[in-house]
Amino acid sequence: MNENEDIARRVELEIDRALKRNIKGLDFLIADREPVGTMPKSVIHRDGTAVLYRFEPVLDEIYRVPLVIVSPPSNRGYIFDLAPGQSFVEFMLNHGYDVYNLDWNPPRRDEAELGLCDYVDRFLPDSLAAVADVTGEEDVSLAGYCMGGTLATIHAALHPAPIRNLITLATPVDFNYMTLFQSWADKRYFDVELLVNNLGIIPADVMLGAFDLSRPANRTAGRMTLWNNMWNDDFVKSYRMFDRWAAETLPLPGTYFRELITRLMWDNALVNDTLDIADRHVDLSQITCPILNIVAQHDHIVSHEATRPLMEMTGATDRQEIVSKGGHVSLVAGPAAVRRLWPHIDDWLGVRST
């Protein structure tokens, strides 16, 4: 192929893509929401804002130790089950795990007083008890993403006995290193008491605003990238699924939000060893089970340093850390997770689940 033919081919390709962008752009605007969460599941426990799902096993033989994934209270759990081929749940089911997801519904007005104690001392232990009733097994592997991982970590410190393994994904523990959120919630200007007292339930827009402030141009850049790839059906489908997940951010109970800001963010109570739940001290050294800490290399929300106490302050002797390519969200559902991270999790967890 000579130079003129090559230029002609590239021009033809760009014209074709330009036409598809305009045609598919209209389709994007009028299309229904992208379906998500396709793996069959059933509710086995419900309590207030908490809902526990069990995914139907797909293999006749499964590992003895069940896997419970804790979603962050501000986000829907279907990030772990976006679509066939892009579902962490599907991957783990196909590799022989009995998979559960502790997910959250928007809190009702009368649930504004739900706090850290309710999450780590009520919702989590009651859900694990429901799993034990189904499986007949007391041991459980507990995995948590972002603040779901923080809640799982606090729970494991308070109730270490049934936790066979702990997997943390982009999990903040040292909140001094949550630098963007520290700036957003600067106690000199951020009146959390005024906000909670007046609203009760903290609207999802408050959390979305915090994420947007951490990367002000991110939404605009995402839209530009979408337009440049509008001709690519696979890209558009993936974008729409992630965009739906972000748009469906959940409101939070006011008391939980207040404690997140004052006790974890401002006081850094986990690292400073000053956190008490229902008059019991949260001591990270009480976590002695194997720990797999997974960090995103380009995470602008939870830095590597914010997760470091999991490797340094816990009492576990079997500790492993994986720094995976990608950002905060692509860590759990992006192409790199599918190809590289999920097989690593399977390798690590499989030998510890018998």
Side-chain angles (χ1 to χ4, degrees):
M1 181 183 296
N2 60 40
E3 183 178 352
N4 289 338
E5 289 176 334
D6 182 50
I7 292 172
R9 286 287 298 276
R10 280 187 279 173
V11 170
E12 182 182 14
L13 177 62
E14 286 306 314
I15 290 173
D16 180 63
R17 288 180 176 179
L19 290 170
K20 287 179 177 177
R21 284 191 195 105
N22 283 275
I23 294 170
K24 292 180 180 293
L26 178 61
D27 291 340
F28 178 84
L29 292 174
I30 64 176
D32 294 331
R33 293 187 306 175
E34 194 70 34
V36 292
T38 58
M39 298 304 293
K41 62 186 178 183
S42 57
V43 175
I44 65 167
H45 177 70
R46 192 188 297 272
D47 178 17
T49 187
V51 55
L52 178 67
Y53 295 102
R54 185 194 190 189
F55 293 90
E56 293 183 12
V58 299
L59 301 181
D60 292 333
E61 293 188 11
I62 59 177
Y63 285 108
R64 178 184 68 84
V65 181
L67 170 63
V68 178
I69 306 168
V70 183
S71 304
S74 59
N75 296 100
R76 299 283 189 180
Y78 63 72
I79 190 65
F80 305 108
D81 183 31
L82 279 180
Q86 201 173 351
S87 166
F88 177 61
V89 169
E90 177 189 45
F91 178 88
M92 298 303 281
L93 289 172
N94 285 330
H95 285 77
Y97 296 90
D98 188 10
V99 183
Y100 301 77
N101 177 212
L102 177 54
D103 203 4
W104 314 100
N105 288 320
R108 302 185 309 267
R109 179 62 56 185
D110 62 351
E111 292 177 319
E113 297 298 324
L114 292 174
L116 277 172
C117 181
D118 293 284
Y119 285 90
V120 303
D121 231 16
R122 171 183 160 194
F123 297 142
L124 257 163
D126 288 354
S127 294
L128 298 188
V131 172
D133 288 342
V134 170
T135 63
E137 296 289 342
E138 291 297 327
D139 290 345
V140 65
S141 293
L142 193 59
Y145 170 50
C146 192
M147 279 304 301
T150 307
L151 296 176
T153 298
I154 296 172
H155 172 80
L158 292 172
H159 307 275
I163 312 302
R164 177 72 177 272
N165 306 292
L166 179 64
I167 301 175
T168 53
L169 300 107
T171 292
V173 177
D174 190 341
F175 284 80
N176 277 345
Y177 290 99
M178 299 284 284
T179 52
L180 292 171
F181 282 86
Q182 285 284 359
S183 298
W184 173 75
D186 190 320
K187 67 172 63 177
R188 293 174 297 174
Y189 315 109
F190 188 77
D191 193 336
V192 67
E193 296 295 339
L194 178 67
L195 188 67
V196 171
N197 292 339
N198 279 275
L199 296 180
I201 299 295
I202 305 302
D205 286 347
V206 172
M207 297 305 299
L208 283 171
F211 289 120
D212 284 345
L213 284 172
S214 67
R215 280 196 171 180
N218 205 44
R219 192 178 297 272
T220 301
R223 290 287 181 176
M224 292 174 64
T225 304
L226 170 66
W227 177 250
N228 288 333
N229 290 275
M230 191 64 76
W231 56 271
N232 184 331
D233 288 341
D234 288 338
F235 181 91
V236 172
K237 180 179 179 180
S238 180
Y239 179 94
R240 290 182 65 214
M241 288 188 295
F242 281 109
D243 190 57
R244 173 180 173 179
W245 180 75
E248 292 182 351
T249 296
L250 299 173
L252 293 173
T255 296
Y256 167 79
F257 181 78
R258 178 196 291 117
E259 292 174 338
L260 170 62
I261 299 298
T262 61
R263 301 173 72 182
L264 298 185
M265 191 78 67
W266 291 350
D267 296 343
N268 203 18
L270 274 171
V271 169
N272 290 332
D273 200 27
T274 57
L275 182 64
D276 293 313
I277 299 291
D279 297 324
R280 283 176 298 144
H281 183 57
V282 179
D283 181 357
L284 293 179
S285 70
Q286 294 301 306
I287 304 175
T288 57
C289 65
I291 298 175
L292 178 62
N293 184 42
I294 301 168
V295 184
Q297 186 176 9
H298 304 293
D299 194 332
H300 68 290
I301 296 174
V302 180
S303 68
H304 191 173
E305 290 81 4
T307 75
R308 193 154 286 155
L310 290 160
M311 296 289 97
E312 297 174 349
M313 294 182 64
T314 56
T317 56
D318 180 357
R319 296 183 291 205
Q320 183 175 336
E321 186 171 81
I322 296 175
V323 179
S324 181
K325 290 185 177 180
H328 188 72
V329 179
S330 62
L331 179 72
V332 292
V338 176
R339 293 192 303 268
R340 293 188 288 269
L341 179 58
W342 297 351
H344 280 308
I345 294 175
D346 173 41
D347 290 341
W348 184 88
L349 189 59
V351 296
R352 295 168 175 84
S353 298
T354 56

